Amino acid sequence: MRKNKKYNYVLLFILLLSTYPLNGFTANSANAEFSFRILPELQDFEISTDKIHLTSELVLPNILNSKVNVNEWRHVSRIIEEKNLAGEQGQCITDIFACNTARLTREFWHSADKEKIAIRQKVTNLSGKPFQLKSLMPLKLKALVFEEEKRADQWNVLVQKRLKNGKPASIVPSDNKLIEADPFCLFHTNKNNTPDLLIGYLSQTGHLAHFLLQFNNTGKQTDFSSLTAECQFDGVLIPSGGERTSQWVYINAGFDPNELIAEYADRVGEYHGIKKPAEQAPSVFCTWYFHGRHYNEKYFMDDIRSLRENRVPFDVFLIDDCWANGNWGYWNTNYNDFPSGMKKVTDIMRGAGYRPGIWTAPYSVDMESDLAREHPEWLLKTTADTLVVFGYSVKAWILDPTYPGVCDHLQKVYRRLANDYGFSYFKFDFMRSVFIYDNVKFYDPRITRLEAYRMGLEAIRKGVGPDAYISVCGGHFGGSLGIANSQRSGSDVVSIWRSEQIDCFRQNILRTWMSRLWHVDPDALMLRKRTTSFYEPDDPHSHLSLGTLTDEEALTFTLNQYVGGGMVCFSEYMQELDPERREMYRYVIPSIDTKSVPLDIYNTLCPSMMLTKVKPVCNDLEPWNTVAVTNWEDKEKELQITLSGKMIESLKSDKFIISEFFSHKTLGVFSENNRLNMGTILPHSSKLLRIAPWDGKKPVLTGTDLHFSGGGVEIREWNVRHNAVEGKIETEWDYPVTIYIAFPAENENGYLLKTTKVQPRQRSFFVTKM
């Protein structure tokens, strides 16, 4: 089994230092050489491994109302000191440049093991009056070469996006188009023994930031042109003596892209003091994806009656957009739709065994609302002194969190929703409205767009209290760090297979890494069968009630919730849901609470193989892995899978017994690099393999038919006796559970399969080999 190699840098760092003497530092180790030298005539610096070479230039701060000639800047001093960055010890080389009006501080940090690099800038106002800062650019690459290969069309670039509707993807550069990435991008070449390169933002609050990638197509080939790390300060006002600091740009290289991304997520978490989510990711019933804004107290009581008759054991009952129509701003109940009031609604939810959840759009204000009439000064303005209009499914004014009284208002509103109404789960929508426009003018000119966003979110957290669950939808991923319990990973979905849905799958799959920082929310699953709309065709929400998925497509949609590894969300009109599709929710509720990673992460359409490492709740069971395989194409294809080292490296065995969930078949005992012939896989359908260690000496659980984890969440006791297994199941599903066990045997297969069905409320099982 191939282990991922650590990759040490060989670094060459060349700086513009017009007056600094030529000197240097070198350190040698068994695996790598780190060298540092200063050449006074150059302002570039270079970062190299023996396979990758990067050249960057020093970019001076973009100050709007202060004209400074580049020749006025001079090098002042250098400081070299030990520095711990994001939980990792290393050395920081700080160079200070200055002119008459400003000082630029550049920090270049490398880890003690010479494997990671980080760079940032800080500008200080030395003038006697305020100036406006537009941007800082701590990194601007003008050359990027993989093992002497300059052609960018020989690479893959994995591009991440900061907003939920952004579309992360693996691309092969082929034109001159400017590409935006945020918070990181990952470069890959198919050349053997060449590491991948990750460049990302380590710090993620304080201001917006992105990477701008430019490629040059000559007609014959596409070459790398530049990569700029632009930290956007929005023309923020810096007083005399004040300063502003860019994000840290973090650089790492390695042979396993998923390990690179996981290490990056850990560093982001360490930097911001964010621990991995401790509580179980919740399962959430959402009212939006059937009725839309038509949901009311009648439909609520219909759902409650259905759930009392045939319980679905989810955690949170979420009332989405519908309950405060016309009252965005003060967020008072619309009693025409909910005549009993929201306090009565939360009492009913708790009585049915569910946690009460509510939807709001905290920064949005109805144009005809009481708040808009009473406090027009609270509304965000453009640089032309007109009101900012946020337009999506509705048009609304936007609150300015920097205006005195606005954060107090937000705190008061959400304290009322929590304490008076009784909600403890909050979904916040359209959160990007306060920072997506670059022509806004905040009341406080010292505040950036991202700081304004976070100011409001912090006030809301104070209002709802520390124990409330906050789910951010359409906000800023990094800007919500440490406040949001979960964040939406993709765009809104429908229960219809169409090409746009693959974008939603890809958003979820390429963002599972975020589960290190918060619970990932893949949006709602809908399994209903409905070919005509519940509402009139001209109704703007008529499409929400449709459900045209085939059985194969429905299973693939369900599998998307499983591989997300975080929150499970679904939306139905419960009294209409047929029993067959209702039962499919047992496959993903409760959440496996373990992220999956894409084994083919550079698949340009969408990764099609997802690995999940299952750590069962029963300590007597050894861990196993599952691999989900999906055919995204519109035609069937023959499927063969090689049991790669990545599929099994976490399992302590040389042999593995493999079963497939949907067919409930055991495929056999396999070793690394063996090939599995899976036969024909239909369009839009999936297979789910369960890979368990096999020593041929003791019986092994090969799965159940209850949950995609194959026993990871429901088997609570597992005791092996001589030629027998006894144990217990715990599940809130009122559903019989079939258990599959392989006993060692001296036959052609090397095992003997046995099954048993555990009836609802029975829970104990006993299976013998005989």
Side-chain angles (χ1 to χ4, degrees):
M1 240 173 278
R2 184 186 177 200
K3 297 293 183 183
N4 185 53
K5 292 169 61 180
K6 291 287 187 183
Y7 204 87
N8 286 5
Y9 280 104
V10 180
L11 299 172
L12 179 62
F13 189 69
I14 309 171
L15 303 172
L16 170 64
L17 295 174
S18 57
T19 60
Y20 205 71
L22 181 66
N23 59 22
F25 169 79
T26 61
N28 294 292
S29 70
N31 299 320
E33 178 183 285
F34 173 80
S35 66
F36 172 82
R37 59 177 178 164
I38 303 165
L39 300 178
E41 69 274 13
L42 297 177
Q43 66 175 11
D44 295 349
F45 66 85
E46 299 178 0
I47 303 170
S48 299
T49 74
D50 60 354
K51 300 289 186 181
I52 308 173
H53 184 83
L54 302 86
T55 303
S56 183
E57 63 182 276
L58 173 67
V59 181
L60 298 172
N62 188 343
I63 300 171
L64 291 178
N65 55 343
S66 179
K67 295 182 180 179
V68 181
N69 190 298
V70 66
N71 295 323
E72 295 180 27
W73 287 89
R74 66 194 185 280
H75 184 263
V76 176
S77 64
R78 160 166 293 174
I79 302 170
I80 301 176
E81 59 186 351
E82 299 300 307
K83 182 181 179 67
N84 186 294
L85 181 63
E88 183 142 0
Q89 196 61 34
Q91 187 180 77
C92 189
I93 304 162
T94 302
D95 280 288
I96 299 175
F97 305 84
C99 64
N100 291 334
T101 58
R103 179 170 61 239
L104 177 67
T105 302
R106 178 176 58 191
E107 296 173 276
F108 177 90
W109 175 90
H110 66 84
S111 59
D113 58 13
K114 312 175 189 70
E115 294 177 2
K116 299 115 187 172
I117 294 169
I119 306 162
R120 74 173 177 179
Q121 292 182 343
K122 177 169 63 178
V123 64
T124 305
N125 184 354
L126 301 181
S127 71
K129 58 183 180 180
F131 62 53
Q132 290 178 277
L133 179 64
K134 183 178 181 181
S135 63
L136 290 173
M137 298 182 186
L139 183 71
K140 186 173 183 180
L141 296 181
K142 60 182 185 180
L144 176 57
V145 178
F146 279 94
E147 200 174 16
E148 302 182 358
E149 177 59 77
K150 298 181 180 180
R151 293 183 58 181
D153 51 12
Q154 301 298 307
W155 311 343
N156 283 87
V157 184
L158 180 67
V159 176
Q160 285 284 331
K161 302 290 185 179
R162 181 79 72 177
L163 304 181
K164 70 146 180 132
N165 290 336
K167 298 175 182 177
S170 175
I171 61 174
V172 178
S174 60
D175 53 32
N176 298 319
K177 185 169 65 173
L178 188 69
I179 299 170
E180 183 180 31
D182 179 24
F184 72 83
C185 50
L186 191 61
F187 295 87
H188 169 77
T189 178
N190 292 324
K191 289 181 175 292
N192 291 332
N193 300 317
T194 300
D196 293 356
L197 180 73
L198 184 146
I199 303 177
Y201 288 110
L202 185 62
S203 46
Q204 299 186 8
T205 59
H207 60 80
L208 299 172
H210 58 182
F211 297 103
L212 298 174
L213 287 68
Q214 183 74 61
F215 299 91
N216 179 36
N217 184 274
T218 63
K220 295 182 179 179
Q221 66 184 48
T222 302
D223 296 326
F224 176 85
S225 178
S226 65
L227 179 149
T228 303
E230 183 181 36
C231 296
Q232 302 161 287
F233 285 91
D234 312 327
V236 69
L237 201 66
I238 302 180
S240 178
E243 62 185 31
R244 279 289 186 165
T245 305
S246 78
Q247 315 289 26
W248 279 105
V249 177
Y250 185 71
I251 303 174
N252 195 5
F255 290 96
D256 185 323
N258 287 308
E259 289 187 12
L260 275 177
I261 294 170
E263 194 277 338
Y264 166 75
D266 278 338
R267 295 281 75 77
V268 171
E270 286 287 339
Y271 184 86
H272 292 277
I274 306 298
K275 296 181 179 180
K276 192 177 186 301
E279 64 179 307
Q280 174 84 13
S283 50
V284 179
F285 173 78
C286 171
T287 64
W288 177 256
Y289 290 105
F290 190 96
H291 298 285
R293 301 188 85 185
H294 298 296
Y295 197 78
N296 56 31
E297 191 169 322
K298 174 196 176 303
Y299 296 133
F300 169 69
M301 293 308 301
D302 288 346
D303 283 332
I304 289 293
R305 276 191 294 272
S306 179
L307 290 166
R308 282 173 172 161
E309 292 169 3
N310 193 351
R311 179 175 172 78
V312 176
F314 58 86
D315 300 311
V316 177
F317 196 120
L318 170 66
I319 302 285
D320 209 283
D321 181 13
C322 67
W323 68 278
N325 294 337
N327 291 326
W328 292 16
Y330 285 128
W331 298 101
N332 294 315
T333 305
N334 185 326
Y335 286 94
N336 292 327
D337 296 324
F338 287 87
S340 299
M342 300 312 288
K343 177 64 170 66
K344 180 66 173 178
V345 166
T346 61
D347 289 342
I348 293 171
M349 289 177 181
R350 285 196 183 88
Y354 301 117
R355 183 177 186 176
I358 195 71
W359 173 98
T360 59
Y363 297 135
S364 300
V365 178
D366 275 319
M367 291 184 168
E368 303 299 324
S369 66
D370 291 341
L371 187 145
R373 287 191 296 272
E374 295 171 8
H375 291 286
E377 73 279 10
W378 286 3
L379 305 179
L380 185 61
K381 295 178 176 63
T382 70
T383 51
D385 273 334
T386 60
L387 292 180
V388 175
V389 178
F390 178 71
Y392 189 56
S393 59
V394 295
K395 292 188 181 298
W397 306 129
I398 305 303
L399 287 174
D400 179 351
T402 74
Y403 198 95
V406 170
C407 283
D408 290 340
H409 156 76
L410 289 170
Q411 188 172 336
K412 180 180 178 181
V413 164
Y414 286 93
R415 184 177 294 114
R416 171 170 52 84
L417 294 179
N419 296 346
D420 297 350
Y421 287 6
F423 291 104
S424 61
Y425 178 101
F426 295 86
K427 175 184 174 181
F428 299 149
D429 212 344
F430 306 138
M431 296 293 283
R432 61 193 178 277
S433 60
V434 81
F435 65 79
I436 58 170
Y437 304 114
D438 59 8
N439 65 335
V440 297
K441 182 177 68 175
F442 291 106
Y443 174 79
D444 189 339
R446 300 166 301 173
I447 302 298
T448 67
R449 286 178 284 165
L450 193 58
E451 286 172 327
Y453 168 84
R454 193 168 175 89
M455 281 177 63
L457 198 53
E458 287 174 339
I460 293 168
R461 170 54 83 184
K462 289 178 182 177
V464 300
D467 298 328
Y469 193 101
I470 290 179
S471 179
V472 171
C473 178
H476 186 278
F477 288 139
S480 306
L481 270 167
I483 302 175
N485 301 89
S486 70
Q487 298 200 63
R488 174 81 77 79
S489 63
S491 304
D492 287 9
V493 298
V494 292
S495 189
I496 304 167
W497 189 282
R498 56 189 187 187
S499 59
E500 301 96 301
Q501 290 302 115
I502 295 180
D503 291 336
C504 296
F505 289 127
R506 190 173 64 245
Q507 287 170 325
N508 185 41
I509 288 170
L510 292 180
R511 286 171 171 156
T512 59
W513 64 272
M514 293 179 173
S515 62
R516 162 61 180 85
L517 306 170
W518 52 75
H519 291 145
V520 175
D521 171 12
D523 203 15
L525 173 64
M526 295 154 279
L527 297 177
R528 70 186 73 102
K529 296 178 181 179
R530 188 176 243 284
T531 57
T532 58
S533 174
F534 189 78
Y535 296 99
E536 295 298 322
D538 60 348
D539 187 284
H541 300 136
S542 63
H543 66 288
L544 293 178
S545 60
L546 296 175
T548 62
L549 300 177
T550 66
D551 289 343
E552 290 79 13
E553 291 167 348
L555 289 170
T556 295
F557 269 65
T558 309
L559 201 55
N560 184 54
Q561 298 280 324
Y562 172 73
V563 301
M567 180 192 297
V568 174
C569 183
F570 73 105
S571 190
E572 304 284 3
Y573 188 23
M574 295 307 299
Q575 70 176 26
E576 278 200 6
L577 188 60
D578 65 274
E580 214 173 79
R581 291 291 177 92
R582 177 193 288 258
E583 290 172 359
M584 288 173 62
Y585 284 109
R586 75 186 193 273
Y587 296 154
V588 291
I589 297 176
S591 167
I592 183 64
D593 217 27
T594 301
K595 73 179 177 78
S596 301
V597 296
L599 295 174
D600 54 341
I601 193 170
Y602 294 112
N603 186 322
T604 54
L605 174 62
C606 183
S608 61
M609 300 182 70
M610 297 294 293
L611 171 70
T612 305
K613 298 177 181 179
V614 179
K615 187 178 185 304
V617 295
C618 177
N619 293 327
D620 294 320
L621 287 169
E622 290 185 64
W624 62 85
N625 294 343
T626 64
V627 175
V629 185
T630 299
N631 178 10
W632 302 115
E633 298 179 12
D634 296 332
K635 58 183 179 182
E636 64 183 36
K637 61 182 181 181
E638 294 300 308
L639 178 63
Q640 286 191 330
I641 298 173
T642 299
L643 189 63
S644 68
K646 285 298 173 189
M647 294 182 183
I648 56 178
E649 68 179 0
S650 61
L651 305 178
K652 299 176 182 179
S653 184
D654 294 323
K655 293 187 176 182
F656 309 89
I657 189 163
I658 300 178
S659 54
E660 201 282 317
F661 183 88
F662 299 118
S663 64
H664 302 301
K665 290 182 179 179
T666 298
L667 306 181
V669 175
F670 298 85
S671 300
E672 183 178 358
N673 294 324
N674 284 172
R675 302 197 74 181
L676 287 74
N677 189 344
M678 304 297 298
T680 301
I681 183 169
L682 298 173
H684 313 160
S685 67
S686 299
K687 303 285 187 182
L688 182 59
L689 302 180
R690 186 185 187 279
I691 305 170
W694 175 260
D695 62 8
K697 299 176 182 179
K698 60 180 180 293
V700 170
L701 175 71
T702 61
T704 77
D705 65 350
L706 182 70
H707 195 275
F708 279 157
S709 66
V713 301
E714 67 271 34
I715 303 288
R716 297 299 172 127
E717 292 185 18
W718 178 268
N719 300 302
V720 176
R721 308 291 185 220
H722 180 67
N723 288 330
V725 175
E726 63 178 351
K728 288 184 179 179
I729 283 180
E730 286 185 17
T731 177
E732 292 188 57
W733 285 97
D734 190 20
Y735 187 85
V737 180
T738 302
I739 301 172
Y740 304 87
I741 301 173
F743 287 87
E746 295 181 3
N747 57 22
E748 183 180 359
N749 295 324
Y751 58 85
L752 182 66
L753 289 176
K754 291 290 184 176
T755 65
T756 187
K757 183 170 286 190
V758 182
Q759 297 299 326
R761 293 174 293 279
Q762 175 187 337
R763 302 315 176 205
S764 296
F765 62 88
F766 182 82
V767 183
T768 65
K769 180 179 178 180
M770 308 305 294

